[in-house]
Amino acid sequence: LQDAGYSLEYASTITGISLGMSMAGRFVAGWGSEHVRQPHSILAGCLGLQAVGIGVLPYLDSLGFWALALFVPLFGLGYGGMIVMWPLTVGHNFGPQSFGAIAGVLGTLGLSIGGAFGPIIAGAIYDNTGSYDWAFVSCVGAYLVGAGAATIAPALRLA
């Protein structure tokens, strides 16, 4: 947002509001997971919301405030829901015996390694192209692949 000309304070506010929206996403996904027969559909929806939210960011120059008005609730709600849904689906699909190992691998690969190298890769894309657009497209693609995988996943094993 700062590269798009917004102040540090404005960019920080947008980030804070997005994270605030994630709290609502956690409540909605948590409630929905108790009332939907196929919780994978909620996970897919959360990943889809994040994809659409990030997908509007390349249009920040032309849409301005409206791009952020779309990004904040879509990404925030999807992010919050994903935080609730991924451990739930892992636990139900693979059981408590495998949960620790699977959560450890996902946490290491997705959160630690992805969190460390993602910004470096996005910065390299910006340095080479002068834009974050391809970084956004890559993120959207990854979210859509995840949403597709969640959509075709078999029904949960209910204990």
Side-chain angles (χ1 to χ4, degrees):
L1 290 176
Q2 285 183 276
D3 287 342
Y6 295 98
S7 70
L8 174 61
E9 292 79 12
Y10 188 80
S12 299
T13 300
I14 293 298
T15 302
I17 295 170
S18 296
L19 291 175
M21 291 295 295
S22 79
M23 289 188 290
R26 294 169 204 215
F27 288 121
V28 170
W31 179 85
S33 72
E34 307 248 335
H35 295 86
V36 172
R37 185 129 175 90
Q38 179 53 292
H40 287 116
S41 62
I42 297 173
L43 178 61
C46 292
L47 293 167
L49 284 173
Q50 290 180 88
V52 175
I54 290 175
V56 300
L57 291 179
Y59 302 101
L60 190 57
D61 288 340
S62 59
L63 296 177
F65 168 80
W66 295 108
L68 296 175
L70 289 170
F71 167 77
V72 167
L74 293 172
F75 184 80
L77 291 170
Y79 178 73
M82 184 192 63
I83 287 173
V84 170
M85 296 309 299
W86 83 261
L88 177 71
T89 55
V90 167
H92 278 297
N93 281 348
F94 300 103
Q97 308 87 310
S98 303
F99 180 81
I102 293 170
V105 169
L106 289 174
T108 300
L109 293 177
L111 299 175
S112 300
I113 295 173
F117 287 105
I120 294 169
I121 294 168
I125 291 170
Y126 181 85
D127 289 344
N128 287 313
T129 65
S131 166
Y132 287 107
D133 290 354
W134 284 108
F136 294 143
V137 167
S138 298
C139 286
V140 167
Y143 281 120
L144 292 177
V145 167
T151 299
I152 64 171
L156 299 178
R157 265 190 7 220
L158 299 175

